[in-house]
């Protein structure tokens, strides 16, 4: 029996880091996906191992299912419909299983992702042998939600072959989860994200689960319907960074300067709310669209300034900002910062000029 699930990456238009402190954020999914295939062996295959294959990296890790049961005992009583947090005691047991695989030093960041995989799989399926294959169109560690997409796709695939969702296993082609099933996928994905990032806000896994554009605050989700399509250029600085370390850095600065940082988070909250309202406001004509885009540019620049106050910008990000500014375009980092990707709003007038030039 086999199932494939996919989950999209994301961009954050406003509110990263501040959302961890309770501020509002606005995010949107993008059409780059992570795919997870789950396959249970047939009885005659005599395969008694749990395997995970990372196709893009040409890596495979496997454990005899007996070793998994020995290393993580007591998981047969868990109920997939009730998401479980990974407690420190369980995290230590998982770490032993991961360390046995001797992950290459250059790819040591994979350890957290493999740990999340083990936790989600054993919690949902217990001690069943299977092969899990992961492929992705998302660059790792770039601010486009690659870890969240993996956790969402893993959770969706695992739940699809459990008794907790109502899907037709004989169906060929893509199916969609119901609203309640999406909520379950999102909760499990959040547990995976906590293993990878420590204290995530939940916005990445939420937008990856539900797609489209959302406004998010303290777990509260509001769907946003833009009245005018937003065109964003995504620039990858290709500078890797550690999301957990960047989040911890903002927390440390908040402890040192609580009043100043509280004002920063309040300002970010206001920017996100105004941006969400602006995106959904009606535009009567081209002039109104231009005015809306000018306000969006201002909000993006203000948000970027506040992110610099949090200490999460980077020289590579500043280079992109200065380059796009030469062409009077507004940009901001997206995600954790410290490198990763930068968003640049492409106004309608620019796109119309490009289109006209191509026609001519």
């Amino acid at each position: 029996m086999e199932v494939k699930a996919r989950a999209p990456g994301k961009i954050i238009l406003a509110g990263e880091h501040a959302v961890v402190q309770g501020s509002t954020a606005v995010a949107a999914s993008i059409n780059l996906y992570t795919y997870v295939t789950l396959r249970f062996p047939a009885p005659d295959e005599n395969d008694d191992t749990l395997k995970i294959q990372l196709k893009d990296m040409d890596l495979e890790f496997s454990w005899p299912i007996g070793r998994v049961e020995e290393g993580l005992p007591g998981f047969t009583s868990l109920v997939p419909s009730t998401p479980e947090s990974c407690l420190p005691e369980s995290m230590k047991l998982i770490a032993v299983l991961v360390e046995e695989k001797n992950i290459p030093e250059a790819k040591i960041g994979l350890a957290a992702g493999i740990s999340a995989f083990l936790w989600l799989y054993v919690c949902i399926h217990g001690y069943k042998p299977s092969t899990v294959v992961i492929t992705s169109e998302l660059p790792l560690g770039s601010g486009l939600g690659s870890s969240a997409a993996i956790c969402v796709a893993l959770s969706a695939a695992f739940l699809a072959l459990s008794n907790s969702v109502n899907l037709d296993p004989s169906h060929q082609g893509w199916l969609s989860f119901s609203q309640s099933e999406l909520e379950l996928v999102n909760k499990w994905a959040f547990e995976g994200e906590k293993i990878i990032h420590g204290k995530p806000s939940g916005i990445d896994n939420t937008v990856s689960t539900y797609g489209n554009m959302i406004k998010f605050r303290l777990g509260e989700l509001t769907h946003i319907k833009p009245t005018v399509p937003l065109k964003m250029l995504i620039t990858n600085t290709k500078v890797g960074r550690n999301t957990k370390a960047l989040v911890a850095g903002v927390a440390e600065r908040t402890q040192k300067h609580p009043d100043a940082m509280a004002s920063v988070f309040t300002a970010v909250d206001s920017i996100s709310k105004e941006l969400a309202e602006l995106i959904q406001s009606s535009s009567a004509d081209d002039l109104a669209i231009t005015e809306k885009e000018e306000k969006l540019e201002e909000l993006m620049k203000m948000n970027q300034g506040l992110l610099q106050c949090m200490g999460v910008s980077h020289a590579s990000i500043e280079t992109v900002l200065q380059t796009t500014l030469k062409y009077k375009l507004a940009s901001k980092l997206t995600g954790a910062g410290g490198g990763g990707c930068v968003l640049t709003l492409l106004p309608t007038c620019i796109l119309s000029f490009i289109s006209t030039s191509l026609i001519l």
Side-chain angles (χ1 to χ4, degrees):
M1 187 177 293
E2 181 178 292
V3 66
K4 176 180 279 190
R6 70 176 185 179
K10 67 88 182 72
I11 53 174
I12 296 183
L13 301 172
E16 48 267 275
H17 285 290
V19 69
V20 178
Q21 305 295 329
S23 297
T24 304
V26 178
S29 60
I30 58 177
N31 61 342
L32 296 174
Y33 292 86
T34 292
Y35 299 85
V36 169
T37 301
L38 168 64
R39 179 179 178 274
F40 291 132
D44 60 352
E45 290 185 62
N46 196 28
D47 187 353
D48 200 30
T49 58
L50 174 60
K51 302 187 190 77
I52 178 170
Q53 298 175 353
L54 307 176
K55 286 293 188 180
D56 303 310
M57 300 179 184
D58 196 26
L59 291 174
E60 176 178 307
F61 305 104
S62 64
W63 300 262
I65 206 65
R67 177 68 187 102
V68 176
E69 186 170 4
E70 175 190 343
L72 295 171
F75 280 77
T76 53
S77 61
L78 295 182
V79 181
S81 59
T82 306
E84 295 276 346
S85 295
C86 187
L87 299 177
E89 296 78 10
S90 297
M91 196 64 243
K92 291 178 182 177
L93 297 175
I94 291 175
V96 173
L97 291 174
V98 175
E99 288 168 4
E100 292 175 356
K101 299 298 103 181
N102 297 316
I103 296 176
E105 188 67 29
K107 295 181 171 61
I108 199 65
L110 290 175
I114 300 298
S115 298
F117 155 73
L118 285 170
W119 177 254
L120 294 172
Y121 184 84
V122 175
C123 283
I124 295 173
H125 282 293
Y127 310 114
K128 292 181 181 179
S130 72
T131 298
V132 177
V133 180
I134 300 177
T135 59
S136 185
E137 300 163 347
L138 294 162
L140 296 177
S142 63
L144 299 183
S146 59
S147 67
I150 288 173
C151 289
V152 171
L154 285 172
S155 300
F158 296 166
L159 288 168
L161 291 184
S162 74
N163 295 323
S164 298
V165 299
N166 185 27
L167 293 180
D168 180 5
S170 64
H171 181 84
Q172 300 294 314
W174 291 106
L175 288 171
S176 298
F177 285 118
S178 68
Q179 187 69 19
S180 62
E181 290 166 345
L182 285 175
E183 290 175 9
L184 183 59
V185 168
N186 195 34
K187 288 177 180 178
W188 272 117
F190 184 53
E191 297 303 332
E193 277 280 85
K194 287 196 288 187
I195 292 173
I196 296 173
H197 294 305
K199 188 184 176 183
S201 66
I203 188 170
D204 285 15
N205 51 275
T206 300
V207 72
S208 184
T209 299
Y210 292 97
N212 299 312
M213 190 178 293
I214 64 168
K215 181 172 72 173
F216 182 91
R217 182 176 183 272
L218 292 176
E220 296 179 2
L221 166 68
T222 304
H223 291 282
I224 294 176
K225 294 184 178 181
T227 55
V228 176
L230 293 181
K231 300 294 184 180
M232 292 283 179
L233 171 67
I234 301 176
T235 303
N236 189 353
T237 66
K238 296 189 177 180
V239 174
R241 74 285 186 284
N242 186 318
T243 299
K244 185 182 290 188
L246 286 160
V247 172
V250 175
E252 182 180 350
R253 184 168 290 200
T254 302
Q255 289 181 340
K256 289 181 179 178
H257 313 285
D259 292 338
M261 290 297 284
S263 297
V264 170
F265 298 141
T266 299
V268 173
D269 184 69
S270 298
I271 288 171
S272 296
K273 289 177 179 176
E274 184 177 346
L275 186 140
E277 292 177 3
L278 193 59
I279 288 173
Q280 297 178 94
S281 63
S282 59
S283 303
D285 50 33
D286 291 343
L287 179 61
I289 292 174
T290 299
E291 291 176 351
K292 176 189 287 190
E293 289 175 341
E294 288 174 352
K295 289 181 179 179
L296 287 173
E297 289 176 336
E298 290 175 350
L299 291 172
M300 288 177 64
K301 291 177 181 177
M302 292 162 65
N303 193 177
Q304 175 62 29
L306 293 169
L307 288 164
Q308 291 167 331
C309 290
M310 297 180 208
V312 296
S313 192
H314 186 272
S316 62
I317 294 173
E318 298 300 321
T319 298
V320 176
L321 297 178
Q322 293 302 317
T323 301
T324 57
L325 188 60
K326 291 178 182 178
Y327 299 93
K328 299 182 179 180
L329 298 174
S331 302
K332 66 173 286 292
L333 68 85
T334 184
C341 288
V342 178
L343 296 181
T344 302
L345 178 65
L346 299 179
T348 305
C349 61
I350 295 290
L351 294 171
S352 297
F353 173 76
I354 294 173
S355 178
T356 302
S357 298
L358 289 174
I359 292 173
L360 294 176

